[in-house]
Amino acid sequence: MSDVTGNHREGAFQRAFAFAAGTPAIATLFGCVVLLVAGQSIAPGFASLGQIAGQLNVAAILALVAAGQGIVILSGREGIDLSVGATMTLAALLAGNTMNGQDGGIAPALLAALAAGGFVGLLNGLGITVLRIPPLVMTLGMAGVITGLLIVVTQGQSSGSTAPSWAAFVTRPFLFGLPGVLFLWLLIIVLIEAGLRYTRFGINLYAVGSNDFAARLAGISVGWTRILAYVACGAFAGLAGAVLLGYTGNIFLGSGEQYILPGVIAVVLGGTSLAGGKGNYVGTAAGAFFLTLLTSFLTILSVAPAQRQIIFGVILIGFMLLYGREKATR
Amino acid sequence: MAAVLEASDVAKRYGAVVALERGELRLERGEVHVILGSNGCGKSTLCKIIAGAVPADGGSVVLEGRSVAFRTPLEAQAAGIATVYQETGLVPTLSVVDNIFLGQEPGKAGGRIDRKARYARFEMLIGRLGKLAAHLDPDTLVGDLSIDQQQIVEIIKALSREPKIIIFDESTSSLDRAQVADFFALVRALKHQGTSMIFISHRMEEIFAIGDTVTIMRNGRFIDRRPVSETSRDELVNLMVGSALQQMIEARQSHRQPGKPVLSVARLSGGKAQGISLELREGEILGLGGLHGQGQSDTLLALYGGITRRGGEIVIAGKQLGGSTPAAALKQGLVYVSGDRGRAGALRGRPIIENLIVGILSKSSKPIAERGKLRAQVRPVIDQLKLKFGRLSDAIETLSGGNQQKVVVGRGLATGPTVLLLDDPTKGIDVRAKQDLFALIDELCAGGMAVILYSSEDMELIDHADRVLVFNTGHVVAEISREDLSEFALNEASLKTAPAHAEQQPAHV
C-alpha cells in the first residue's frame, strides 16, 4: 500500500515574497533603499541627505494626490478619481490668483483651493452615488469639464503667482533643514492613519469598500460614505495643487495632469486593493516616494520622459496582474 | 464484501494547522455514507483528498482494491469519483449545457462540438433527475440561475460522468424541502444502480431519511461508524460534540409567556413579499416557514429597509418606523442578520473587531470611534456566543463559517435590539455553532427581545418558534401555533395557496 503523499515545501523565495506581499509598505520602502544604493553607485551623491530631502519634497505633492486617490479606491466599487489632475490645476490657478504674490493671501488661497477641490469631489460623489454613473466615466467627464472651463476663463494663459512665504514653506529649509511641506506631509500621514482607524468615517469606509451590501445592512450610510470619500479626494487634490503652485511659482494648464497616473500607481504599490476595503496611507506614501526616486533614477540613466511613462505603465499593469493572481487563488 | 473505497489513517496539515489527523472511511458498493461532524472536524478535507482536490500528507486510499493517490480532480474523475461541491464551480457566463459538458464534449471529427449529441445527452440526464430538473433550460446562462438551480446543474454535471462514487458536499443546503425530496429520489435510484455516495449534511433529519451508514468525525479524527438504522439523533450529537448529552435536542422551550406587543406590521410589500401583516410580542420567537424563496427573506428585508418597501405600515415599540434605510431601522431597535454571510454579512479582509463594532458605531452616530470603549461593548457578546478566534485583529475570513456567522450575529446583538430579524441564520454552520447561537437568542428572548426567524430547516422552527407563519408565493397562507407545530403540519401548510383575492399562482409542488 503506497502512501498518499503530497510534497509541499515552500521555498525561501516564496516565503519572502509572501511576507513582502503581506506588508507592501515594507516591500516598497525596501525598493526605495535598492534605488538609493543603485543610484549612489552610478551617480555619487544620489543618496546624500540633501538629495533625499529634495526627493521627499517632490514626493510630497504626489503623496497628497495619492492620499485622496487612496481614499476613493478604498471605498470600493471600482472607485477611482481621474479628475484629480484637472482639480489640481484648477486649485492651483485659484490659489495663485488669490495670492497674487502677496503673503496676506495665503490663508484665503489655501481655503479656496481646498473648497474648490472639495466641491469638485462633491459633484463626483453625487454623480457616482445618486446618478449611478461609473466612477471612471464620471471623473473623466469631470476632468474634461474643468479643463474646458479653465481654457475658456484663462484663454490658455498662465495667471497668478505664489506668495513668497508659501514658496519658501514648500521649497526652503524650515526646520532641521527640511522644508515645511514635509512636516505638513507628516501631519497628514498621522491624520489619515488616525482617521482611518479611529473615526466612524474611516471604519465605515473600509466596511463599504469590503462589502457594501453588508455595510448597508449594518446600518452604514453607504452613499454618504462614498460621497465623503470623493470630497476628501477632491480636497486633497486641491491642497496638492496649492503645494504645486508653491513649488513651481506659476501654473499652466495641464500642470496637474502628470500626477494622475503616478497617483494611482503609488496607491497600488502601497498595497491598497483596487477592489476596495484593504490598504492604508503609509503604504501609499511609501509608494509615492518610490516613484519619485524611480523617476530620478531613470533620469540619471538618461531615460527619456516618454520611456519613463512606459515603465510606469508597465509597473501598474504588472501589479494589477499580481493582484489578479491573489484574487484567483482565494 | 469488499469496500469500493477504503481510506485509512489519512492525514493533512496546512502549515501548523492539522486539518485531518486520522481520517478513515469505508464505503460499500451502493450505499449512502454520511460523514457527520462539526465544522473543522476534517470531513471536507477528507472528501477533498478522496476527490483529488488536495494531496494527502499520509495514509492510504484504496479504490476497488487498488491503492490510489490522485494529484488532480481530473484523475479522480477518470477513476470514477465525482464531487458536487456546495460552492459551485460553474462558469456563470456559459450556458447550462456548456457547463455540464465542459471538458468532456461529445466531439465530431475536426474538434467540432457535436451539439445534437449534447442536447440528447442533456435530455437523458434530466430525465434521471425527474421533477428536480423539470424546468431547467439547457440554454440559460448559469449566472442567471438561482443558487438552488445552480446546485442542480452541479449535480447533473457530476452525473454526466457516470461516476462509481459521488461525493455530495452539503448539496441540500441550498435546496428547499420539495427539491430535497426529489433529490433523495434521485439518490435512491442511483443506489439501486450500485453507485456509492458520500453525503455531507448538517441536517440531522436528512441523515435519517437517506443515510445507510454514518461516520462521525471530531477534531480531525475518525470517531465511530454506525449503521443509521441502529443509532439515534441523541447518540449522533453526543458522538459529534463529545460531551454530555447536549440540551439542544430537548431544547423545546419551556412555554414562554409573551409580553406586550413590540412590533406590528400591516400590509407590508417588497420584493416577493405581498401584503404581509403580523404582530410580535416581547420575548416571542415568530417563525416564518414554507418552501424556499416564497417571500420570507423579502419580508424581513423589506421590514428592515434592506430592499425597497412598496407600502406597508410598521410600528415598533409604539412608534412609527421613520425612514426606509437599514440605518433608520437600526436606530429604532431593529436588527437584521442574514445567513448569507458572504453577501450580506462578513466584511471580508476586515478585522474581527471591526466586523463586530460597525453595528454599535452606526447606531451611536458619534464621529469618533473610541476603539477601547467599543471593544468593551462587544466583549460580552463575544463571550456569550462562545466565539473562537485567534486575535480580534485577525481578518474575519480566518474564522470557520460558524464563527463568522457568530460575528455577524454579534454585530447586531451588540446594538441591543428590541426586535431581531433572522434570515435563515444557520445556513451551512455546524451543530455546535447553532447551539451556541440559539442558546443566546433564547436567553435574550427571556429578557424581552422579540425575534422573527426564517429558517429553511423545519427542525429549527419546531425547536425554537412560538408560532409559525407559513408562506407561499409571497403571501402568508397559514399560521401554526406551537401546540400544532410538527414537520407534517409545516409540510402540509406549505402547499396551501394564497387567499382568493390575491393573484393566484400554482403552488410549487
Side-chain angles (χ1 to χ4, degrees):
Chain A
M1 230 175 251
S2 79
D3 270 7
V4 189
T5 313
N7 218 346
H8 260 263
R9 192 166 294 166
E10 276 184 39
F13 173 75
Q14 270 111 323
R15 258 178 295 149
F17 180 80
F19 175 73
T23 46
I26 292 173
T28 309
L29 283 175
F30 180 72
C32 293
V33 172
V34 170
L35 280 179
L36 284 171
V37 171
Q40 176 74 17
S41 65
I42 296 168
F46 187 82
S48 72
L49 284 181
Q51 271 296 318
I52 292 176
Q55 301 287 355
L56 281 171
N57 204 353
V58 179
I61 305 175
L62 177 58
L64 286 176
V65 186
Q69 194 67 265
I71 290 170
V72 158
I73 289 174
L74 273 184
S75 79
R77 284 279 148 130
E78 267 105 56
I80 196 153
D81 188 347
L82 297 182
S83 69
V84 286
T87 307
M88 270 178 86
T89 309
L90 166 72
L93 279 167
L94 265 178
N97 281 294
T98 313
M99 287 183 199
N100 242 334
Q102 303 299 314
D103 281 354
I106 293 177
L110 287 180
L111 273 180
L114 285 171
F119 182 67
V120 173
L122 180 67
L123 294 181
N124 279 333
L126 288 173
I128 288 158
T129 56
V130 180
L131 305 178
R132 295 170 192 274
I133 302 170
L136 197 80
V137 177
M138 180 68 213
T139 57
L140 199 57
M142 183 58 75
V145 171
I146 296 170
T147 306
L149 279 177
L150 287 178
I151 292 173
V152 170
V153 173
T154 64
Q155 302 287 322
Q157 302 296 308
S158 164
S159 70
S161 60
T162 177
S165 295
W166 181 243
F169 178 78
V170 174
T171 54
R172 300 264 164 71
F174 171 75
L175 197 63
F176 313 124
L178 298 173
V181 74
L182 287 188
F183 296 96
L184 177 69
W185 183 16
L186 192 66
L187 178 71
I188 282 171
I189 292 177
V190 173
L191 284 181
I192 293 182
E193 285 296 326
L196 288 176
R197 281 198 195 93
Y198 300 105
T199 69
R200 188 157 65 104
F201 170 70
I203 292 171
N204 287 356
L205 183 71
Y206 281 122
V208 167
S210 158
N211 182 345
D212 55 1
F213 186 55
R216 197 168 117 78
L217 291 176
I220 294 170
S221 167
V222 172
W224 276 117
T225 306
R226 286 225 167 88
I227 291 171
L228 263 180
Y230 281 91
V231 170
C233 180
F236 274 114
L239 183 59
V243 173
L244 181 64
L245 169 75
Y247 196 78
T248 58
N250 307 84
I251 291 298
F252 300 91
L253 280 179
S255 289
E257 306 285 307
Q258 52 183 320
Y259 290 94
I260 305 172
L261 179 62
V264 175
I265 302 175
V267 173
V268 172
L269 273 178
T272 299
S273 156
L274 279 188
K278 193 182 141 210
N280 59 36
Y281 183 56
V282 172
T284 300
F289 184 47
F290 177 83
L291 284 182
T292 308
L293 281 179
L294 182 64
T295 308
S296 305
F297 181 71
L298 294 176
T299 309
I300 59 169
L301 289 182
S302 322
V303 175
Q307 286 153 324
R308 288 207 302 259
Q309 282 280 91
I310 296 173
I311 291 172
F312 277 26
V314 167
I315 290 177
L316 180 61
I317 294 166
F319 264 79
M320 289 327 333
L321 286 176
L322 215 67
Y323 279 117
R325 287 178 64 94
E326 186 187 294
K327 263 206 151 158
T329 54
R330 233 173 238 168
Chain B
M1 182 177 150
V4 175
L5 181 118
E6 187 154 18
S8 29
D9 284 327
V10 183
K12 176 73 193 173
R13 53 178 67 231
Y14 296 99
V17 180
V18 181
L20 188 62
E21 199 177 323
R22 199 170 72 80
E24 212 178 296
L25 185 75
R26 190 186 154 85
L27 182 66
E28 308 285 344
R29 190 175 140 80
E31 82 164 345
V32 178
H33 197 121
V34 181
I35 306 182
L36 186 65
S38 9
N39 283 347
C41 72
K43 57 185 189 297
S44 297
T45 309
L46 179 61
C47 287
K48 280 184 187 152
I49 289 169
I50 293 171
V54 296
D57 293 336
S60 72
V61 176
V62 179
L63 177 68
E64 295 178 319
R66 219 159 34 85
S67 184
V68 290
F70 302 121
R71 278 163 302 174
T72 64
L74 278 176
E75 286 184 18
Q77 278 165 19
I81 300 177
T83 310
V84 180
Y85 288 110
Q86 186 185 6
E87 321 262 301
T88 68
L90 301 172
V91 185
T93 51
L94 289 182
S95 74
V96 168
V97 69
D98 284 340
N99 262 288
I100 290 171
F101 298 111
L102 200 62
Q104 45 158 356
E105 310 282 0
K108 273 186 180 170
R112 282 172 301 144
I113 289 167
D114 187 346
R115 294 191 177 277
K116 257 194 203 152
R118 286 204 319 176
Y119 284 112
R121 289 259 303 133
F122 178 78
E123 288 304 327
M124 198 202 78
L125 287 165
I126 281 249
R128 292 169 66 183
L129 266 72
K131 270 183 292 183
L132 195 55
H135 303 295
L136 196 63
D137 172 11
D139 297 319
T140 314
L141 294 186
V142 161
D144 295 335
L145 294 177
S146 58
I147 297 177
D148 52 322
Q149 295 287 323
Q150 292 188 13
Q151 189 70 54
I152 291 165
V153 175
E154 275 276 335
I155 294 170
I156 302 175
K157 191 175 167 186
L159 286 182
S160 72
R161 295 162 199 270
E162 304 294 343
K164 284 178 252 180
I165 298 172
I166 309 179
I167 302 171
F168 291 109
D169 186 1
E170 290 198 45
S171 300
T172 54
S173 68
S174 52
L175 303 181
D176 69 31
R177 196 181 317 101
Q179 289 170 325
V180 169
D182 294 339
F183 172 67
F184 283 175
L186 169 73
V187 169
R188 286 190 195 99
L190 286 168
K191 219 170 108 165
H192 283 300
Q193 293 161 22
T195 311
S196 307
M197 285 162 279
I198 299 172
F199 191 84
I200 296 182
S201 171
H202 285 309
R203 296 181 182 174
M204 201 59 95
E205 73 256 29
E206 291 181 359
I207 294 166
F208 288 95
I210 198 73
D212 297 314
T213 313
V214 52
T215 284
I216 301 107
M217 294 182 70
R218 194 198 312 148
N219 296 331
R221 279 193 219 148
F222 169 83
I223 298 295
D224 207 346
R225 174 169 48 235
R226 299 278 163 103
V228 169
S229 56
E230 290 167 28
T231 185
S232 68
R233 215 172 125 122
D234 289 358
E235 185 184 45
L236 288 181
V237 173
N238 260 334
L239 285 169
M240 204 176 139
V241 186
S243 57
L245 185 69
Q246 297 293 315
Q247 303 91 325
M248 190 206 100
I249 288 79
E250 73 271 18
R252 268 191 166 268
Q253 293 293 294
S254 55
H255 199 69
R256 273 186 299 266
Q257 282 300 331
K260 52 183 198 299
V262 282
L263 179 74
S264 122
V265 176
R267 299 174 308 281
L268 175 71
S269 296
K272 284 185 202 161
Q274 291 174 34
I276 305 298
S277 299
L278 57 88
E279 295 277 337
L280 189 66
R281 291 172 172 276
E282 266 182 355
E284 187 180 32
I285 299 182
L286 173 63
L288 306 184
L291 299 174
H292 231 9
Q294 301 300 311
Q296 303 95 329
S297 295
D298 286 351
T299 299
L300 298 179
L301 277 169
L303 192 49
Y304 188 62
I307 58 172
T308 313
R309 248 175 245 146
R310 298 188 310 267
E313 277 195 27
I314 300 161
V315 177
I316 172 162
K319 267 195 273 174
Q320 194 94 22
L321 179 61
S324 57
T325 61
L330 187 81
K331 288 209 168 81
Q332 280 192 252
L334 277 173
V335 157
Y336 167 90
V337 175
S338 168
D340 193 353
R341 304 177 276 294
R343 198 175 78 87
L347 302 169
R348 275 176 308 277
R350 302 313 306 160
I352 297 164
I353 184 69
E354 275 183 29
N355 268 281
L356 281 164
I357 63 175
V358 285
I360 33 178
L361 202 53
S362 298
K363 195 168 185 176
S364 80
S365 52
K366 275 193 219 152
I368 301 296
E370 294 170 73
R371 293 184 84 117
K373 237 187 195 172
L374 291 166
R375 186 184 295 247
Q377 273 176 278
V378 294
R379 195 77 231 186
V381 182
I382 296 174
D383 296 338
Q384 286 168 327
L385 284 168
K386 306 198 177 102
L387 186 68
K388 287 193 192 64
F389 59 94
R391 281 168 311 174
L392 285 176
S393 54
D394 293 340
I396 186 168
E397 56 266 36
T398 60
L399 301 178
S400 68
N403 279 299
Q404 289 188 25
Q405 187 62 12
K406 285 180 182 180
V407 169
V408 179
V409 173
R411 175 195 300 165
L413 288 182
T415 66
T418 316
V419 176
L420 178 64
L421 310 173
L422 295 173
D423 187 356
D424 213 357
T426 60
K427 198 152 60 180
I429 72 174
D430 63 89
V431 171
R432 189 176 248 181
K434 277 183 203 183
Q435 282 178 336
D436 292 343
L437 219 62
F438 276 109
L440 178 58
I441 285 163
D442 286 339
E443 196 183 311
L444 291 170
C445 284
M449 184 178 77
V451 174
I452 306 183
L453 165 69
Y454 164 56
S455 177
S456 56
E457 261 181 88
D458 289 346
M459 279 321 288
E460 215 162 86
L461 293 176
I462 293 168
D463 282 342
H464 300 284
D466 291 308
R467 62 194 163 96
V468 174
L469 300 179
V470 181
F471 279 63
N472 194 347
T473 53
H475 299 273
V476 174
V477 291
E479 176 168 348
I480 307 175
S481 68
R482 159 141 225 105
E483 295 74 46
D484 302 330
L485 206 48
S486 68
E487 279 187 80
F488 180 78
L490 282 169
N491 256 298
E492 193 185 41
S494 70
L495 302 178
K496 286 187 185 168
T497 44
H501 60 267
E503 315 93 295
Q504 200 105 11
Q505 282 181 31
H508 180 116
V509 190

